[in-house]
Amino acid sequence: MAKIAVLGFGVVGSGTVELFYRNKESIIKKAGKDLDIKYILDIRDFPDSPYADKLVKDINVILNDDEVTLVAECMGGVKFAYGFVKDCLLKGKSVATSNKELVAQKGAELLAIAKEKGCNFFFEASVGGAIPIIRPMHQCLAANEITAVAGILNGTTNFILTKMIEENMKFSDALSMAQKLGYAEADPTADVEGLDACRKICILSSLAFGKHVYPDNVHTEGISAITPRDIADAEKWGGAVKLIGAVRKLDNNKIMPYVAPHFVCRENLISSVNDVFNAVMVSGDAIDKAMFYGRGAGKFPTASAVVADIIDMAKADKTSISQVWEDADNSTFVEKIENNETEMYVRVKSSDKAVIEKFGAEIISDENGEVSFVTPCLSEKEIEEKLTGVEVVSKIRILAM
Ligand code: HSE
């Protein structure tokens, strides 16, 4: 018998508990041993919950109970979660987390502790919600040299963009709908400004290239500046605007991770990924491309990944099978965004129309005093140089993958 503690009884934590009890019989069969949830940690009271008898407020109850060998951290944030997870691992308890901020900030350290203590630190739920992506990259694609990863990594912004494109919904209405559905972060700025997707591309980059990539070193833009004209121009050009997290290996052996809105052409499957769905495209030297698709946020989709990690931790017992990546000095490993080579959608004031000749580009639209075009593939520094002295209204990268 292995006992589980769930840290945090919010959307994901309560989903984890409910899903565990809903499918307990088959979960136990798959784990190959009896399992039960002994504690749920939360500072709030839930007197009406059917699980009220399991609620505790003090992490030491869990840390000091040797019966608890499996922990699911669903609190979010780093402030408290970091210490709690670290202490659990130091006690040899395996931890599954849905907390992308924690993995993106502290992954290298926590993985090293898990390895040293012969337990596991799993985080399938931290990227892509229900989509299996961490384990496929670590296990099924392990024979490959990964060359690039790109995709829609945030459900809230994809939901908002879809509602804006298909239902002409206002940004604020679409956001509150996403919040009601439990997709958004506690502070939705993290979704809207790209930080959540940034944490996820950091995790995928660290996993793909074996060195920790920190969010502070990753160029990040969100969707708050996207306008109906951008969306209409993307359609005229032949695609859709999507918030993309991407990383690729460069010839100089550095990597280029970043998060930004992109025009994605209709032929690319990613362009038709809508609503809360996420999709991750992985390129490797043996596979060419593989795509992973599913619900990227929400109570049960995320709980699905947490509970799967619990099952794998129970099966692994005291064998450490989690992947490990090195800590790294990002200044020598992560390339600057100015050296990113890309085609770029650019919209300028019609009075600056002459600049289009410098790029040898064709006009996409010329209306309401603004003219738009797509540059050839150039470094972002070169694009900036050619645009010197020009009033740029909008600039959106074109997804090449
Ligand atoms: N706020 C996140 C999203 C939750 O919308 O994708 C899942 O990580």
Side-chain angles (χ1 to χ4, degrees):
M1 164 71 98
K3 293 283 167 88
I4 303 159
V6 177
L7 314 186
F9 202 43
V11 174
V12 180
S14 63
T16 298
V17 174
E18 286 170 41
L19 183 61
F20 176 81
Y21 284 110
R22 190 205 293 174
N23 297 337
K24 188 174 174 202
E25 205 180 311
S26 74
I27 286 168
I28 286 173
K29 252 190 219 153
K30 287 166 194 160
K33 65 176 67 156
D34 201 6
L35 297 174
D36 202 6
I37 295 175
K38 187 163 182 183
Y39 302 113
I40 301 166
L41 179 86
D42 205 295
I43 48 166
R44 297 165 293 180
D45 290 312
F46 296 87
D48 301 329
S49 165
Y51 309 106
D53 59 323
K54 298 180 190 297
L55 275 144
V56 293
K57 291 186 195 297
D58 181 1
I59 185 70
N60 290 306
V61 174
I62 294 164
L63 289 172
N64 295 329
D65 188 333
D66 291 341
E67 247 195 343
V68 175
T69 52
L70 309 173
V71 176
E73 187 275 303
C74 309
M75 299 164 51
V78 170
K79 198 173 166 194
F80 296 106
Y82 171 52
F84 291 180
V85 168
K86 188 171 170 175
D87 288 347
C88 287
L89 293 171
L90 286 168
K91 290 255 183 186
K93 301 178 195 295
S94 288
V95 179
T97 184
S98 56
N99 187 338
K100 43 268 154 125
E101 191 176 354
L102 179 68
V103 184
Q105 295 286 0
K106 305 288 182 186
E109 181 191 352
L110 297 172
L111 284 166
I113 297 173
K115 190 170 184 199
E116 191 195 318
K117 295 291 172 186
C119 56
N120 285 291
F121 180 54
F122 285 160
F123 41 90
E124 186 61 66
S126 67
V127 181
I131 308 176
I133 181 65
I134 302 293
R135 236 180 240 63
M137 280 183 64
H138 170 229
Q139 296 179 344
C140 317
L141 302 180
N144 286 259
E145 285 297 321
I146 303 294
T147 48
V149 181
I152 295 172
L153 302 175
N154 182 268
T156 301
T157 44
N158 205 38
F159 182 85
I160 292 171
L161 286 171
T162 306
K163 294 288 170 201
M164 286 171 74
I165 295 168
E166 292 184 353
E167 295 174 30
N168 277 330
M169 203 182 256
K170 279 204 315 213
F171 176 90
S172 52
D173 292 342
L175 173 59
S176 36
M177 211 168 166
Q179 286 175 300
K180 277 193 201 111
L181 290 165
Y183 302 156
E185 295 304 297
D187 175 3
T189 322
D191 297 296
V192 171
E193 298 306 341
L195 188 51
D196 178 75
C198 170
R199 292 168 183 150
K200 292 166 179 168
I201 201 65
C202 286
I203 296 170
L204 295 179
S205 302
S206 307
L207 192 58
F209 302 108
K211 290 182 182 176
H212 196 109
V213 177
Y214 288 93
D216 282 352
N217 300 307
V218 174
H219 176 85
T220 301
E221 294 170 34
I223 62 162
S224 57
I226 298 295
T227 63
R229 172 75 179 268
D230 295 323
I231 289 170
D233 275 359
E235 260 187 40
K236 275 189 193 144
W237 169 81
V241 181
K242 296 286 178 192
L243 183 67
I244 299 292
V247 62
R248 65 182 193 282
K249 183 110 189 236
L250 304 176
D251 291 341
N252 63 6
N253 271 333
K254 290 188 181 182
I255 61 164
M256 177 66 79
Y258 63 97
V259 172
H262 281 68
F263 278 18
V264 184
C265 69
R266 269 181 215 121
E267 292 70 38
N268 189 325
L269 289 173
I270 291 176
S271 74
S272 44
V273 172
N274 288 325
D275 295 310
V276 73
F277 285 84
N278 284 190
V280 188
M281 185 90 85
V282 181
S283 295
D285 61 346
I287 54 166
D288 185 15
K289 287 182 188 359
M291 184 157 150
F292 302 83
Y293 169 82
R295 286 188 178 273
K299 179 171 174 166
F300 289 112
T302 312
S304 158
V306 176
V307 176
D309 275 354
I310 293 174
I311 296 171
D312 271 3
M313 294 192 310
K315 278 160 69 176
D317 202 11
K318 293 205 171 306
T319 312
S320 183
I321 54 168
S322 20
Q323 62 281 23
V324 175
W325 59 65
E326 294 168 28
D327 207 349
D329 172 4
N330 285 189
S331 65
T332 55
F333 177 51
V334 176
E335 188 56 275
K336 291 192 179 71
I337 192 73
E338 62 181 28
N339 295 325
N340 185 38
E341 298 200 345
T342 182
E343 291 176 70
M344 187 84 83
Y345 161 83
V346 182
R347 197 163 77 249
V348 299
K349 293 284 178 199
S350 295
S351 49
D352 285 323
K353 209 172 185 172
V355 78
I356 301 177
E357 273 172 40
K358 282 198 203 170
F359 290 99
E362 279 176 28
I363 290 174
I364 296 177
S365 71
D366 188 357
E367 55 202 53
N368 300 325
E370 293 173 2
V371 59
S372 61
F373 59 96
V374 171
T375 73
C377 187
L378 296 167
S379 76
E380 298 202 15
K381 197 163 52 183
E382 285 173 287
I383 294 173
E384 279 305 307
E385 279 165 10
K386 284 187 194 292
L387 289 171
T388 308
V390 169
E391 195 179 337
V392 176
V393 187
S394 178
K395 253 183 4 178
I396 301 176
R397 295 167 183 84
I398 309 289
L399 186 65
M401 195 172 177

